[in-house]
């Protein structure tokens, strides 16, 4: 019997662009055999990840995610149509609300309170399962350690998690407050690395052989036209900050495939083979095996084709959420056809 492949799902951060991940999830979970072993995310991707990995009792993964987007969609009722995309600037009652302590403005370090998001997640997430380090599938989210200036990965297999870890991953300054966990303070993981693909490859690499497939949902495309105006320059800078930067890491891992092939070929030889009489070969093989090299997984990229600009990451209007979800479904279907 062939071994089932290990499956990973990686979800970028990008605020309201996360509706694209809703569409991608609709298509991926449409197939009954889509059962990821590990779901990883940053910021809104971390929220998507926890809803898919630890839905509240009585909810299926996709149902929890669907309910979240119904709650955080902002109608913009009362705003003229051209300005409805700006409605969330005045608050999103199930996600974030403006601070009201204006007298303390000189001491502010953030603009919006994310207490509503915690309450929303408490309704839609199985908090007990989130704290259970043995719960499946695996869950991995990242945040930026403010003092250390380093990325921090929170892995459910290493003692479980709390809602604090999810909030930490999405603590994007200056909009949202930093999150305190233990003695550390965290901001949004996307500030450091918006695509935790490397951490997922390491995690899946710890398994026992077999095929590995990783689906990566990119909210920010790497490629775009050369900007010709100042607004386009600003948009391009913003998109590059959060685009997938793991291509060179994957290229390096592909070179490791040759090392894996060498180790596999040597292991297949009988122990008394003459090649093992060479001390240099034995020493090199022992050193290579200690590194636990594994072949690079098959990576399926699902990428939004257009850059985002202006208020795109904060546009929670019903029309935009629906359009992005439809786009995510469509692009995922195309990506699956190409594999």
């Amino acid at each position: 019997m062939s071994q089932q492949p290990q499956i990973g799902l990686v979800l970028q951060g990008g605020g309201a662009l996360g509706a694209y991940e809703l569409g991608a999830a609709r298509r991926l979970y449409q197939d009954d055999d889509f059962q990821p072993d590990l779901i990883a995310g940053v910021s809104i991707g971390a929220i998507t990840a926890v809803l898919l990995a630890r839905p509240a009792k009585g909810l299926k993964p996709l149902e929890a995610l669907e309910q979240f987007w119904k709650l955080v969609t902002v109608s913009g009722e009362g705003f003229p149509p051209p300005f409805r995309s700006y409605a969330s600037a005045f608050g999103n009652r199930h996600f974030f609300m403006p601070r009201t302590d204006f007298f303390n403005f000189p001491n502010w370090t953030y603009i919006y309170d994310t207490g509503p998001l915690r309450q929303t997640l408490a309704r839609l997430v199985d908090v007990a399962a989130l704290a259970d380090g043995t719960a499946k599938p695996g869950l991995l989210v990242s945040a930026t350690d403010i003092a250390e200036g380093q990325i921090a990965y929170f892995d459910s297999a290493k003692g479980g998690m709390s809602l604090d870890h999810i909030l930490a991953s999405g603590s994007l300054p200056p909009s949202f407050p930093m999150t305190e966990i233990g003695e550390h303070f965290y901001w949004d993981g996307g500030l450091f690395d918006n695509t935790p693909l490397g951490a997922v490859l390491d995690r899946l690499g710890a398994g026992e052989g077999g095929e590995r497939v990783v689906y990566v949902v990119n909210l920010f495309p790497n490629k775009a036209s050369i900007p010709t105006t100042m607004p386009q320059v600003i948009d391009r800078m913003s998109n590059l900050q959060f685009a997938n930067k793991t291509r060179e890491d994957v290229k390096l891992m592909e070179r490791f495939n040759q090392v894996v092939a060498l180790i596999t070929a040597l292991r297949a030889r009988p122990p008394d083979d003459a090649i093992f009489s060479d001390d240099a070969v034995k020493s090199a093989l022992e050193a290579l095996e200690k590194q636990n090299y594994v072949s690079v997984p098959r990576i399926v990229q699902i990428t939004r084709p257009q850059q985002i600009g202006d208020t795109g990451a904060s546009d929670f209007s019903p029309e935009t959420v629906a359009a992005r979800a439809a786009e995510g479904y469509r692009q995922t279907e195309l990506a699956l056809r190409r594999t």
Side-chain angles (χ1 to χ4, degrees), residues 148-208:
E148 296 295 327
Q150 295 290 336
I151 196 74
Y153 294 107
F154 305 121
D155 188 336
S156 64
K158 297 179 179 179
M161 295 186 201
S162 70
L163 291 180
D164 284 338
H165 296 94
I166 309 304
L167 291 171
S169 185
S171 296
L172 182 65
S175 294
F176 301 148
M178 64 186 77
T179 300
E180 181 180 3
I181 301 177
E183 298 180 353
H184 295 262
F185 292 83
Y186 298 96
W187 272 337
D188 193 299
L191 294 174
F192 204 93
D193 181 3
N194 202 35
T195 318
L197 177 58
V200 170
L201 297 181
D202 288 342
R203 175 81 137 70
L204 292 180
E208 292 295 328

Side-chain angles (χ1 to χ4, degrees), residues 211-231:
E211 183 186 7
R212 298 168 177 82
V213 184
V214 180
Y215 298 86
V216 183
V217 182
N218 297 307
L219 301 181
F220 298 88
N222 288 79
K223 296 182 179 181
S225 301
I226 300 296
T228 58
T229 66
M230 187 57 69

Side-chain angles (χ1 to χ4, degrees), residues 310-334:
D310 196 18
T311 61
S314 58
D315 184 355
F316 288 87
S317 63
E319 300 82 5
T320 300
V321 167
R324 287 175 178 161
E327 182 184 35
Y329 184 99
R330 182 171 59 254
Q331 293 294 334
T332 303
E333 176 66 34
L334 292 173

Side-chain angles (χ1 to χ4, degrees), residues 12-29:
Q12 280 192 340
L17 297 179
Y20 182 90
E21 295 173 344
L22 168 62
R26 284 173 177 168
R27 178 58 189 89
L28 291 171
Y29 281 84

Side-chain angles (χ1 to χ4, degrees), residues 44-66:
I44 193 68
I47 293 172
T48 303
V50 74
L51 291 167
L52 293 175
R54 304 288 185 270
K57 293 179 180 178
L59 291 178
K60 294 180 180 179
L62 191 56
E63 290 173 343
L65 188 58
E66 295 276 8

